[in-house]
Amino acid sequence: MSSHYEAPIRRPLIIGDKNYHDISVDVAAPVEGKANKLWWIAFSIALTAFLWGIGCIVYTIGTGIGVWGLNKTVGWAWDITNFVWWVGIGHAGTLISAVLLLFRQKWRMGINRSAEAMTIFSVIQAGLFPVIHMGRVWNAHFVLPLPNQFGTLWTNFNSPLLWDVFAISTYLSVSLVFWWTGLLPDFAMLRDRAIRPFQKKIYGLLSFGWTGRAKDWQRFEEVSLVLAGLATPLVLSVHTIVSFDFATSVIPGWHTTIFPPYFVAGAVFSGFAMVNTLLIIMRKVSNLEAYITKQHIELMNIVIMITGSIVGCAYITELFIAWYSGVEYEQYAFLNRATGPYWWAYLFMMSCNVFSPQFMWFKRLRTSITFSFIISIVVNIGMWFERFVIIVTSLHRDYLPSSWTMFSPTFVDIGIFIGTIGFFFVLFLLYARTFPVIAQAEVKSILKASGEKYKKLRDGNHE
Amino acid sequence: MSNKVVQAMYNDDDILMDAVKEVRAANYHIEEVYTPFPVHGLDKAMGLKGTRIAITAFMYGCVGLVFSVWMMNYMMIEQWPQDIGGKPSFAFIQNMPAFVPIMFEMTVFFAAHLMVITFYMRSRLWPFKEAENPDPRTTDDMFVMEVIVDGNEDELIAFLEKTGTVEIKVTEKH
C-alpha cells in the first residue's frame, strides 16, 4: 500500500467499495446489456436530424451554394461558424487526455475516453464544412499537393485554408490513433469477457490481440506519454491555424494578433462545456456515477471558469486595442458589434461567455449538477454566437459603405447545422453502447491511490 | 529441452510486485508477466530494459520536418516561384513564416503516426492478431507471472506458493 500513498486532502475519485473486477463489470455493463427505449428514442431523433442534414447537403451540392443565405459581401457565415464551433468542441478531448496526462491529473481517467470520442466525432462534423462550403466539391482533392497532368500544378502554401487542411487532417488522424491505442486494453477486457462468439470475434478484431505483457505496458505508457506530448502542441496549433483564417486577413475585426490564444481558450471553454453536457447525462444513464463523480464535474467547471475568464479578458483586450489603435475602421467594427444590427448576437455572446462562467466562483453552484448542466449548454450557445459575431459582423460592414449589407440564414444553412448535431449524436450514441466508455485499465491503476475504500483504509477510518 | 513454464497467478498488484522481486532474487527466470493494467515499477522490478520508442518518435519528427521543408521549397520556390499576393518567393527563407504551420503539422504527423506504427509492429499488434494471454482473467483482475522450469519443478512450485499466489498452473510453452 505504501506505493499508493496519496495526500489525505485529496478526495476520492472512485466512489464506493470497488475492486478491480467491479470496474470491469461496471464498464462492460452498457456494452453487454441491451439498449433501452430511451436510447432508441434518442437515436431515432439524432438519426432523423442526420438524414435531414444529408438532404440539405445534397440539395446544396446539387443546386449550388446560392441556396444558402450568403451574399457577395458575406461569403462566410454559418458554414465557417459551425466549422470553428465544432473544431473548438473537439479540443477539450485532447486537452483532457493529453494536457491533463502531462500534468499527471488523475481525475482525467474517468472522463478521457468519452472526451476523446467527443473530439473524434466533432472533428468529423467540422471536417464536413470545409468540403461542403466549396462551390465545386468535386474538385476538393485539388487542395492536396498531388502530382498531376497539369504540368504538376501544386497548391499555394501561403493560404491558411490549406494550413487548415493539414491541421485538421493531422489532428483527426493523431487523435484517432491516440484514442485507439488507449482502447486496446479495454477492448481486450471486453473480448475476454464476451460470451457470444460474434462479440468475441468483433472485440478480438478491435483489440488487435492485446495481451497485456509487461513489455507491452511499458511501451504503451511511453507511447501514450509521447503522444500526449505531441498532441498538446498539436491542439494549440490546430485552433491557432483555424484562427489564422481570420487573423491573417486584412478585415477590421479579424486582423488581430490575439486570435490564436483567444480562439484556443474559447475552444477549451466550449469543449469542456460539451464534455460536461454529455457526461452529466452519461454518468446517469450508464450507471457510472462511481467513476464520473461530482468532483469531476466540479473540476471541469473550474476549467470552464478559468478559460471563460481568459476569453472575457480577450474581449476586453480587443475593445481596448480597438480604442487605443486610433484606426477608425477598427473602432467602427467594435461599435458596430455593440450597437449595430447584430447587437443582440453580441449581447448573447457577452452574457453567455463572460458572465455565465463567473457563477462557478460559488461552490454551491459549481457543485450543483443541474446548474452545471444548464451552464454547459449556455456556454456552447455563447460560443456559437462568438464565432458568428466575429465572422458576420466583421464582414457585413467593412471598408466600403457601398458594400454594406446584412446576412440571414436560409433553412438549408440551419438544416445542415442541425444535421451535423444529429450526426454527432448518432456517432456518440452508438459509441456509448459499443465502446468501453471509461478507460478501465487506467481507472484500475488509480484505484488504490484514489479509491474511496482504499483511502478510508489508509486514513485509519477517522470519519 | 522442455519448454515447461509455471504460471503463478496473483490477484493483487502489490503482492505481484513483491513476488517478482523474490523470484528474481532467487535467480529464477521470469519469462513473462501479464497484467490487466499498467503496474508502475513492474518493468524495473523485472529488470526490463527501457523502451526506445520515444527516440524513434524524435527521429520520425525530424524526417517530417525535413520532408515538409523540401516539399514546400520545391513547389513554392524552385518549380513555380510565382507572385501570390506579393509574397516573396525568391528564397525559402523570405517566405518561411508562411510555411511554419505546415512544417509544424508535418513534424507532428510523422512523429505520431510512425511511432504508433512502430509500437504496433514491435509489440505485434494488428487487427487479426490472436490474443496470447494465458488466462482471460488477465485483462480483468488477475496478474500472471510465467516462470521457466529449469531444474527442479517441485522446488520452484513450492517456492512460488509462498509468494502469495492464488493459483498455479504448469504448461508447455509453444
Side-chain angles (χ1 to χ4, degrees):
Chain A
M1 289 295 284
S2 58
S3 63
H4 298 286
Y5 176 78
E6 192 178 66
I9 197 167
R10 303 248 173 234
R11 284 171 285 161
L13 291 168
I14 300 158
I15 305 291
D17 189 19
K18 303 280 181 192
N19 60 33
Y20 295 135
H21 184 62
D22 294 333
I23 297 174
S24 304
V25 172
D26 290 343
V27 172
V31 179
E32 289 167 351
K34 273 203 158 55
N36 61 13
K37 212 172 178 179
L38 212 66
W39 186 89
W40 282 108
I41 292 170
F43 185 73
S44 311
I45 295 170
L47 192 66
T48 313
F50 174 37
L51 293 174
W52 174 251
I54 291 180
C56 289
I57 291 171
V58 169
Y59 177 54
T60 304
I61 295 170
T63 314
I65 290 291
V67 300
W68 293 0
L70 302 175
N71 51 52
K72 68 188 171 72
T73 300
V74 183
W76 271 356
W78 275 55
D79 48 352
I80 299 301
T81 301
N82 298 336
F83 162 69
V84 183
W85 189 72
W86 277 118
V87 176
I89 284 174
H91 277 44
T94 318
L95 253 296
I96 287 168
S97 53
V99 179
L100 298 185
L101 187 148
L102 295 183
F103 286 114
R104 299 284 176 210
Q105 295 295 305
K106 287 180 186 160
W107 62 277
R108 81 174 195 283
M109 286 168 178
I111 56 174
N112 60 1
R113 176 65 40 72
S114 295
E116 285 167 47
M118 190 195 74
T119 294
I120 311 275
F121 302 149
S122 54
V123 175
I124 290 171
Q125 308 315 320
L128 287 172
F129 287 101
V131 177
I132 59 172
H133 90 309
M134 289 182 180
R136 299 183 182 86
V137 186
W138 47 92
N139 287 339
H141 61 283
F142 284 8
V143 303
L144 303 173
L146 299 170
N148 52 57
Q149 75 273 42
F150 305 108
T152 53
L153 198 59
W154 304 118
T155 48
N156 162 28
F157 287 94
N158 291 313
S159 168
L161 301 182
L162 186 67
W163 307 342
D164 267 351
V165 173
F166 280 81
I168 301 293
S169 48
T170 303
Y171 185 49
L172 180 61
S173 64
V174 171
S175 304
L176 195 64
V177 294
F178 193 12
W179 189 51
W180 204 271
T181 306
L183 275 162
L184 295 179
D186 295 3
F187 279 142
M189 181 273 284
L190 290 176
R191 170 199 72 208
D192 289 344
R193 282 177 58 87
I195 300 155
R196 279 173 289 176
F198 177 73
Q199 284 197 339
K200 198 154 197 94
K201 197 155 212 138
I202 290 291
Y203 289 112
L205 182 68
L206 296 179
S207 64
F208 290 11
W210 175 265
T211 302
R213 294 185 181 91
K215 189 73 193 177
D216 292 352
W217 280 118
Q218 186 199 39
R219 291 198 188 109
F220 176 91
E221 295 228 285
E222 185 92 346
V223 164
S224 305
L225 185 64
V226 175
L227 278 181
L230 288 169
T232 303
L234 182 63
V235 78
L236 302 181
S237 78
V238 168
H239 220 65
T240 295
I241 290 173
V242 168
S243 84
F244 283 163
D245 293 349
F246 313 102
T248 62
S249 74
V250 295
I251 304 291
W254 279 10
H255 184 77
T256 321
T257 51
I258 203 177
F259 269 14
Y262 151 45
F263 268 51
V264 172
V268 181
F269 180 53
S270 70
F272 268 80
M274 191 60 137
V275 175
N276 237 352
T277 312
L278 296 172
L279 290 186
I280 286 172
I281 298 173
M282 180 181 262
R283 70 195 285 273
K284 194 93 193 161
V285 295
S286 298
N287 291 318
L288 297 169
E289 281 145 317
Y291 307 100
I292 303 167
T293 65
K294 212 173 230 186
Q295 193 192 171
H296 288 88
I297 293 167
E298 186 185 352
L299 288 165
M300 283 193 278
N301 281 334
I302 291 173
V303 176
I304 290 173
M305 179 179 85
I306 292 167
T307 49
S309 305
I310 296 173
V311 168
C313 189
Y315 289 164
I316 298 163
T317 309
E318 272 193 322
L319 287 171
F320 170 74
I321 293 294
W323 165 77
Y324 191 61
S325 69
V327 179
E328 52 195 353
Y329 295 108
E330 189 74 11
Q331 289 168 345
Y332 180 72
F334 284 89
L335 193 69
N336 179 46
R337 276 185 197 177
T339 62
Y342 291 108
W343 63 270
W344 51 274
Y346 186 70
L347 187 69
F348 238 101
M349 150 187 143
M350 278 295 191
S351 45
C352 294
N353 295 348
V354 180
F355 298 109
S356 70
Q358 303 308 324
F359 289 115
M360 297 304 180
W361 289 99
F362 302 100
K363 195 178 170 83
R364 260 189 74 158
L365 293 177
R366 73 167 178 265
T367 49
S368 154
I369 291 177
T370 323
F371 187 77
S372 308
F373 186 73
I374 294 166
I375 286 292
S376 72
I377 289 170
V378 166
V379 164
N380 268 315
I381 294 172
M383 284 307 291
W384 189 90
F385 273 102
E386 182 197 294
R387 279 68 181 250
F388 178 81
V389 164
I390 289 171
I391 293 169
V392 173
T393 64
S394 306
L395 285 177
H396 86 124
R397 287 184 179 180
D398 63 352
Y399 294 114
L400 272 183
S402 60
S403 300
W404 286 6
T405 182
M406 287 294 290
F407 166 80
S408 53
T410 64
F411 81 94
V412 192
D413 284 299
I414 300 165
I416 292 173
F417 181 45
I418 290 171
T420 56
I421 294 173
F423 191 13
F424 175 82
F425 279 102
V426 164
L427 292 171
F428 198 83
L429 285 164
L430 288 173
Y431 151 81
R433 298 230 30 87
T434 47
F435 277 50
V437 296
I438 285 185
Q440 52 91 24
E442 291 195 70
V443 169
K444 282 173 186 170
S445 73
I446 59 161
L447 176 67
K448 281 191 177 173
S450 306
E452 192 183 18
K453 179 176 79 172
Y454 290 92
K455 284 188 91 72
K456 277 215 177 109
L457 277 175
R458 209 162 31 225
D459 298 346
N461 236 339
H462 292 311
E463 289 151 300
Chain B
M1 197 185 104
S2 123
N3 284 322
K4 259 191 180 170
V5 288
V6 181
Q7 290 172 343
M9 305 202 183
Y10 300 87
N11 58 9
D12 188 276
D13 45 336
D14 293 312
I15 298 170
L16 171 83
M17 282 287 274
D18 294 339
V20 165
K21 285 171 194 158
E22 283 171 46
V23 170
R24 284 213 353 132
N27 275 325
Y28 289 111
H29 177 68
I30 299 175
E31 177 69 8
E32 197 59 78
V33 177
Y34 301 89
T35 62
F37 59 84
V39 177
H40 294 281
L42 180 65
D43 49 346
K44 290 245 164 53
M46 282 171 69
L48 292 181
K49 279 197 191 126
T51 170
R52 291 164 296 175
I53 209 142
I55 299 167
T56 69
F58 179 77
M59 295 193 293
Y60 296 142
C62 294
V63 172
L65 180 65
V66 169
F67 177 75
S68 66
V69 169
W70 168 80
M71 177 182 75
M72 288 187 286
N73 182 59
Y74 176 68
M75 293 176 183
M76 297 292 290
I77 309 295
E78 283 179 15
Q79 205 181 11
W80 295 90
Q82 297 199 98
D83 185 340
I84 303 164
K87 296 264 186 167
S89 56
F90 311 106
F92 185 83
I93 192 72
Q94 284 182 313
N95 204 14
M96 199 273 289
F99 302 146
V100 168
I102 289 178
M103 283 155 62
F104 176 83
E105 296 298 327
M106 297 279 259
T107 308
V108 171
F109 185 90
F110 275 61
H113 287 292
L114 293 176
M115 175 188 64
V116 169
I117 292 168
T118 308
F119 165 58
Y120 285 3
M121 284 166 63
R122 288 290 283 136
S123 284
R124 307 182 60 74
L125 301 162
W126 51 80
F128 289 93
K129 174 82 190 306
E130 286 293 322
E132 288 159 356
N133 44 338
D135 189 297
R137 289 171 296 171
T138 56
T139 54
D140 180 0
D141 61 350
M142 206 51 112
F143 305 77
V144 175
M145 174 165 59
E146 278 184 353
V147 186
I148 289 214
V149 180
D150 184 23
N152 193 338
E153 187 185 317
D154 298 328
E155 201 179 293
L156 173 61
I157 292 175
F159 176 78
L160 286 172
E161 267 169 353
K162 279 184 287 177
T163 60
T165 175
V166 287
E167 228 176 286
I168 283 195
K169 261 196 297 195
V170 182
T171 50
E172 286 287 320
K173 184 105 177 163
H174 28 270

